[in-house]
């Protein structure tokens, strides 16, 4: 881990053969593209830099590196130090349909060697992409085979490299990126423990923290029987549901997809209650709680109260203004909210003509 | 440690009125209505059965569902006939709308060689008959009466990307034949596959088809034949919207439903309210303010969100006896699924969904001027609406 100041900027290299799907992936995850829109993307020339603010305390410095041979040659020779210096994460994308898999791996090895030389502390993620093009029953096996082969060529990163099967057409893309992001977040453990506390207090079955713009999961807390939920991919699924909804809202209201955020979404049924609300500037909190109005309302108030503490974690790398101050702040907010709680019952006496309504 | 959170029992002291009110509104909650148990989800699986059994009902329907001018058997099941030239997209339509097949998969559908009958059991029972394109129905060898008796609507599919003159000729023959013996059958013309056409060409084609059909009809003296035209595509929501309109014509209670929705909208400042059939995403009624496809789309997508989340968290939990849950909190939420989305931008506009019964859900698009605090009022009024619907639509009670 780097020092405090460095934590804010993490350099992420996105590499792989030309046409493997690097830019498509980036557009979907970070720029609110729909999967079918990526056909419009052209080839990436040289390197496209983008700075993505994630969670306030993390700036992703994403280098989308064009994969044509000429560019790669250039990265490895003239720009070697420039490209491979101080890298936090290398994401290498393999096309499962590639006809020259061997050649891809050779190119991968070259890149890995350069990476090892310039930033040996980096983490490598390999995404085996376009998995949707493989027949469902062959997927797992093919993925394992490819992963083993690539691992063997991973030189000094043999032990640490992680593999994910991905496709832009399902939630597997979110699954992979969630893991990558989790690795990059500097204070994940702190956030997690705070979330755990919050879950205990509001008696939530599950709390999931999402980043707002990308809808990627930051972390989650699961309690009690919810751990047996048969939908083990529910976090990615919700990511994908949220993203789709965001696009649909943007289309209808005509506001750009980047800012078509909802303030709150509630779903109440007899089996569970669920809501997603804004937690901090950059995060949304999804909570699944037992079906009870009482618990539901209490949970909403408590989450409101917890906001300042999460907001503080969001900007962790700054010198802290003193944790006591934050506590004092949340204590005063607490009394405000209790006073506000009594107000809920009003609003019926507005004199609306309700009786005459039945036809 | 000093926790800043409130504990739930503490809050309950502040808002007991909430619960009282809720119970007042809804005295027979739980007794007459079905258990909620994430029906939204379960019904989805039912739908996938090609011929699911009719749910048993002790109460015979008091109203005819559907306009059945020629009904002999009187089993109250309107039929929708899908007809048109071969390869015009009839089976694709029925698969996408009623079986939720992803549109891209329809490429692999086989040609239909015999009449495919499918029963739908939703807010009202109806049968969809998918006809092979190459048959001549008015051939004496066919039992014409058997086919056209009891049908609610004839849907004629025309491929807008293909040469359509033949299709129109056959359509005209069919309409003229029908006008003769079954003048009350609605003929619904779907100008299909319009997604592949440019805007200009699309509207030109559409106008041309309408013109040709109507000219022919007026030549034979049937100016007022019940023929309607729609532009459809399975790749967007237009096919669902067109089906909604077709089905709405078959609901005799439609004017009442619309009046109810209108009154709900004006009392609660709702911009647009839809009554959706959750399974098929067909809306069976909306208020009479002008509709646009955009608000239909957003409501339809919203159902997806709610259904998907319900699927994830509505699983069968083992009984939570040993769970350290507070024993006082033994209340079990509301019976009908309910959902709300408030938007960050544009002030107060938001979406509201409420499950009305096993099949139907009410979805409201709120205008900018309806503050979220009025939710209690909306909840109450929707409760009233729900009761009224129970009287109008006997099916709705089950």
């Amino acid at each position: 881990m780097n020092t405090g100041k460095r934590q804010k900027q993490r350099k992420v290299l996105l590499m792989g053969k030309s046409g493997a799907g690097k830019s498509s992936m980036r557009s979907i995850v970070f720029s609110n593209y729909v999967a079918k829109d990526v056909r419009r993307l052209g080839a990436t020339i040289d390197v496209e830099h983008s700075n993505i603010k994630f969670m306030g305390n993390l700036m992703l410095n994403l280098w989308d590196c064009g994969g044509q041979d000429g560019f790669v040659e250039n990265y490895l020779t003239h720009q070697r130090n420039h490209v491979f210096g101080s890298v936090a994460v290398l994401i290498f994308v393999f096309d499962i349909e590639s006809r020259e898999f061997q050649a891809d791996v050779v190119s991968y090895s070259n890149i890995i060697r350069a990476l090892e030389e310039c930033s040996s502390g980096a983490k490598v993620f390999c995404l085996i992409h376009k998995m949707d093009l493989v027949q469902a029953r062959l997927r797992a096996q093919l993925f394992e085979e490819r992963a083993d082969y690539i691992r063997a060529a991973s030189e000094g990163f043999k032990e640490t490299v992680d593999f994910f099967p991905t496709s832009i057409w399902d939630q597997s893309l979110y699954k992979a990126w969630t893991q990558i992001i989790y690795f990059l977040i500097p204070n994940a453990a702190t956030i997690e423990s705070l979330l755990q506390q919050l879950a205990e207090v509001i008696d939530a079955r599950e709390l999931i923290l999402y980043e707002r713009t990308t809808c990627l999961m930051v972390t989650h807390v699961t309690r009690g029987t919810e751990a047996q939920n048969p939908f083990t991919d529910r976090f990615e699924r919700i990511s994908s549901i949220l993203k789709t909804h965001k696009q649909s809202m943007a289309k209808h209201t005509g506001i750009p997809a980047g800012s078509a955020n909802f303030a709150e979404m509630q779903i109440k049924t007899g089996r569970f209650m669920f809501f997603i609300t804004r937690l901090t500037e950059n995060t949304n909190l999804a909570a699944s709680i037992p079906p009870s109005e009482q618990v539901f309302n209490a949970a909403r108030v408590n989450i409101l109260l917890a906001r300042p503490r999460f907001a503080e974690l969001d900007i962790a790398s700054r010198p802290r203004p003193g944790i006591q101050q934050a506590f004092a702040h949340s204590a005063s907010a607490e009394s405000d909210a209790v006073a506000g709680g009594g107000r809920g019952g009003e609003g019926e006496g507005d004199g609306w003509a309700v009786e005459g309504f039945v036809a | 440690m000093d926790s800043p959170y409130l504990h739930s029992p503490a809050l309950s002291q502040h808002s007991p009125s909430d619960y009282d009110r809720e119970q007042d509104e809804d005295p027979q909650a739980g007794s007459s209505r079905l258990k909620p148990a994430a029906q939204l989800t379960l019904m989805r699986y039912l739908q996938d059965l090609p011929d699911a059994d009719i749910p048993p009902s002790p109460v015979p329907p008091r109203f005819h569902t559907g306009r059945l001018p020629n009904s002999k058997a009187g089993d109250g099941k309107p039929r929708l006939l899908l007809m048109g030239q071969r390869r015009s997209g009839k089976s694709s339509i029925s698969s996408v709308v009623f079986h939720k097949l992803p549109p891209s998969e329809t490429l692999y559908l086989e040609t239909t060689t015999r009449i495919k009958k499918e029963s739908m059991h939703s807010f009202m029972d109806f049968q969809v008959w998918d006809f092979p394109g190459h048959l001549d129905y008015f051939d004496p060898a066919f039992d014409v009466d058997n086919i056209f008796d009891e049908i609610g609507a004839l849907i004629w599919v025309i491929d807008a990307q293909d040469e359509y003159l033949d299709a129109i000729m056959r359509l005209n023959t069919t309409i003229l034949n029908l006008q003769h013996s079954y003048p009350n059958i609605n003929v619904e013309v779907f100008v299909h596959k319009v997604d592949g056409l440019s805007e200009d060409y699309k509207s030109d084609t559409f106008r041309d088809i309408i013109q040709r059909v109507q000219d022919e009809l007026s030549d034979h003296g049937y100016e007022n034949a019940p023929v309607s035209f729609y532009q459809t595509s399975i790749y967007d929501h237009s096919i669902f919207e067109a089906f909604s309109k077709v089905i709405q014509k078959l609901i005799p209670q439609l004017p009442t439903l619309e009046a109810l929705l209108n009154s709900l909208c004006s009392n609660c400042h709702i911009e647009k309210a839809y009554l959706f059939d959750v399974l098929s995403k067909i809306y069976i009624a909306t208020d009479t303010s002008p509709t646009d496809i955009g608000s239909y789309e957003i409501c339809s997508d919203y159902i997806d969100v709610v259904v998907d989340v319900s699927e994830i968290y509505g699983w069968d939990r083992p009984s939570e006896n040993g769970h350290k849950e507070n024993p006082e909190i033994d209340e079990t939420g509301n019976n009908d699924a309910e959902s709300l989305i408030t938007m960050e931008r544009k002030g107060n506009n938001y979406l509201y969904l409420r499950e009305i019964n096993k099949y139907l859900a009410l979805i409201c698009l709120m205008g900018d001027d309806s503050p979220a605090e009025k939710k209690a009022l909306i909840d109450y009024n929707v409760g009233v609406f729900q009761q009224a619907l129970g009287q109008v639509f006997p099916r709705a009670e089950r």
Side-chain angles (χ1 to χ4, degrees), chain A residues 201 205-206 212 226 229 231 248-249 251 261 263-264 266 268 271 278 291 294 302 348 352 354 357, chain B residues 4-6 12 19 21 263 267 297-298 301 311-315 317 333 337-340 342 344 380:
Chain A
V201 170
R205 284 171 175 160
E206 187 155 81
R212 275 166 77 82
E226 197 61 43
N229 191 323
F231 298 96
S248 133
M249 284 311 257
K251 194 173 159 203
N261 294 312
E264 186 174 34
Q266 319 173 343
K268 300 177 181 174
R271 291 200 171 184
R278 179 177 178 163
Q294 209 171 337
N302 278 321
E348 309 157 68
W352 295 77
V354 175
F357 175 54
Chain B
Y5 308 130
L6 278 175
S12 69
Y19 307 115
R21 199 184 56 237
S263 138
N267 277 313
E297 277 171 16
I298 201 161
D301 290 345
E311 189 177 324
I312 292 174
Y313 286 110
W315 58 289
R317 291 186 172 75
E338 175 191 323
S339 173
L340 187 70
T342 39
E344 197 171 56
Y380 181 82

Side-chain angles (χ1 to χ4, degrees), chain A residues 61-263:
Chain A
N61 190 356
L62 189 65
W63 292 41
D64 182 357
C65 307
Q68 291 170 34
D69 293 342
F71 300 137
V72 176
E73 194 58 44
N74 198 16
Y75 306 146
L76 289 169
T77 51
H78 303 301
Q79 300 182 311
R80 198 174 177 100
N81 284 320
H82 173 63
V83 172
F84 294 100
S86 61
V87 172
V89 163
L90 166 72
I91 302 168
F92 202 93
V93 184
F94 286 94
D95 181 351
I96 190 89
E97 284 267 274
S98 168
R99 277 152 212 275
E100 304 143 336
F101 179 62
Q102 309 290 341
D104 296 352
V105 176
V106 170
S107 154
Y108 167 75
S109 300
N110 291 335
I111 286 167
I112 284 289
R113 237 170 274 133
L115 184 71
E116 201 173 0
E117 189 186 306
C118 300
S119 30
S120 56
K123 167 94 179 163
V124 181
F125 291 95
C126 286
L127 308 185
I128 318 273
H129 199 45
K130 308 194 189 172
M131 288 303 278
D132 55 298
L133 296 176
V134 180
Q135 286 180 45
R137 59 192 171 84
L138 299 176
R139 274 177 208 168
Q141 194 204 345
L142 192 57
F143 170 70
E144 288 300 329
E145 275 175 30
R146 292 279 162 103
D148 287 344
Y149 193 89
I150 298 166
R151 189 186 292 280
S154 299
E155 312 264 322
F157 297 95
K158 246 185 199 112
E159 306 301 319
T160 53
V161 59
D162 278 327
F163 295 90
F164 297 100
T166 53
S167 157
I168 56 168
W169 300 98
D170 60 30
Q171 60 264 21
S172 59
L173 185 66
Y174 292 98
K175 183 178 174 139
W177 278 90
T178 301
Q179 303 285 328
I180 295 168
I181 292 299
Y182 186 79
F183 173 80
L184 287 167
I185 292 168
N187 53 354
T190 332
I191 296 175
E192 232 159 63
S193 72
L194 193 57
L195 210 58
Q196 181 72 40
Q197 276 178 44
L198 182 63
E200 299 290 337
V201 170
I202 65 176
D203 194 25
R205 284 171 175 160
E206 187 155 81
L207 288 180
I208 314 170
L209 194 65
Y210 285 102
E211 205 275 333
R212 275 166 77 82
T213 39
T214 55
C215 300
L216 287 174
M217 177 179 80
V218 178
T219 181
H220 70 99
V221 168
T222 308
R223 291 172 69 237
T225 50
E226 197 61 43
Q228 296 160 34
N229 191 323
F231 298 96
T232 46
D233 59 349
R234 58 189 179 279
F235 312 114
E236 298 92 76
R237 278 166 82 142
I238 295 174
S239 283
S240 147
I241 293 169
L242 292 179
K243 197 94 181 199
T244 318
H245 179 255
K246 196 179 207 175
Q247 271 138 9
S248 133
M249 284 311 257
K251 194 173 159 203
H252 178 66
T253 51
I255 44 183
S259 50
N261 294 312
F262 52 74

Side-chain angles (χ1 to χ4, degrees), chain B residues 135-155:
Chain B
L135 293 181
D136 180 13
Y137 316 102
F138 292 98
D139 190 298
F142 272 93
D143 185 355
V144 180
D145 284 340
N146 193 21
I147 296 176
F148 292 102
D149 258 11
E150 284 183 49
I151 80 170
L154 168 70
I155 297 172

Side-chain angles (χ1 to χ4, degrees), chain B residues 212-241:
Chain B
R212 283 170 190 274
V213 174
Q214 278 173 348
D215 284 355
E216 181 78 12
L217 286 178
S218 53
D219 284 353
H220 290 81
Y222 295 109
E223 270 95 359
N224 297 318
V227 183
S228 325
F229 299 86
Y230 308 85
Q231 305 184 52
T232 58
S233 159
I234 51 171
Y235 292 96
D236 56 29
H237 292 77
S238 60
I239 189 70
F240 290 93
E241 173 135 60

